[in-house]
Amino acid sequence: MTDPESPDAEVIARAGEILRRGGLVAFPTETVYGLGGDALSPDASRKIYAAKGRPSDNPLIVHIADMDALWPIAAEVPEAAKRLAAAYWPGPLTMVFPKTSLVPPETSGGLPTVAVRMPSHPVAAALIRAAGGYIAAPSANASGRPSPTRAEHVREDMDGRINMILDGGPVEIGLESTIVDFTEPVPMILRPGFINLRMLREILGEVRTDPGILSANAGSVRPKAPGMRYRHYAPKAPLLIVEGTANAVTAEINRRAGEDISRGLAVGIIAAAETAGTYRNGLVREIGSRQTEEEIARHLFDVLRGFDEAGVDRIYSEAFDTPKLGMAIMNRLLRAAGHQVVKL
Ligand code: AMP
Ligand code: MG
């Protein structure tokens, strides 16, 4: 394991060398583990898509470690974006700009724009500098699977497909970065994350949310970020979200789980710490307390992967519309559920 606070210089140099030669290295960031390749190399980007099994029209986020690295790849950076960078970079925020020709179309998925993030994780920052300044890095999961929040998850999906995995222990946030598009007349959230609407409004004033990401009806309103159009995060078993008052939700999940189990099915239940004790049967996974929503965000993908390993046939989840991270958590959970929700 690499010390997440002060990474071993020799290990980082070796990983940087792999990236400079066009290889792939998975590394920890504060959001999730990333699968890195040289962002300016068409070949490295192609390798990333191949390793993940990712559709090649789904662009990669370019990671930088210093503000000076932004100008060569972004053709136009509005004042508002500079203010946002001053407030939240380095951090769990990605911004979309018109791209320059330095960014190959392989990296931008053929789009004329580029998504850029400056991660705060010391291992990520050191690796970006060692690699020459630009790392293209999607989440280091196989396409469609829950994003990796520990090095073991990366090994599960990527073992033998990439050159190196830097293990920095479990990540801090556990949900991918907030994406804000600055090529729109009004800045638009393409993917909700830890930097929430209120935090963005504080700096930017007016902010819109891409209507496509809230829609249950994929296809009717197309999300602008290509990646948000794909089925994602899905555990192997069907997942149903049950929404309502705490008492009604636990009663309904207990009833449904009881029925499934009597038919011989194995059932998984995702519950908050406050209600976990009220479920009578099934494999109950406590995701965290509603009082500390950061815990819920951090554990979500790990819990989803855990059910694959346990081999359950059905999963029920409470809804987590918490005040700060609710939008980001529910965006991932709804997509994992294919938008299957029962409202009581
Ligand atoms: P991941 O790489 O798994 O973190 O996902 C990256 C997300 O950013 C995907 O949903 C992409 O579609 C989205 N994205 C990357 N580049 C752009 C771009 N230039 N414009 C809009 N969305 C983008
Ligand atoms: Mg991803």
Side-chain angles (χ1 to χ4, degrees), residues 52 54 139 141 147 176 232:
K52 278 182 66 82
R54 177 171 173 131
S139 49
N141 52 288
S147 297
E176 306 87 340
H232 207 331

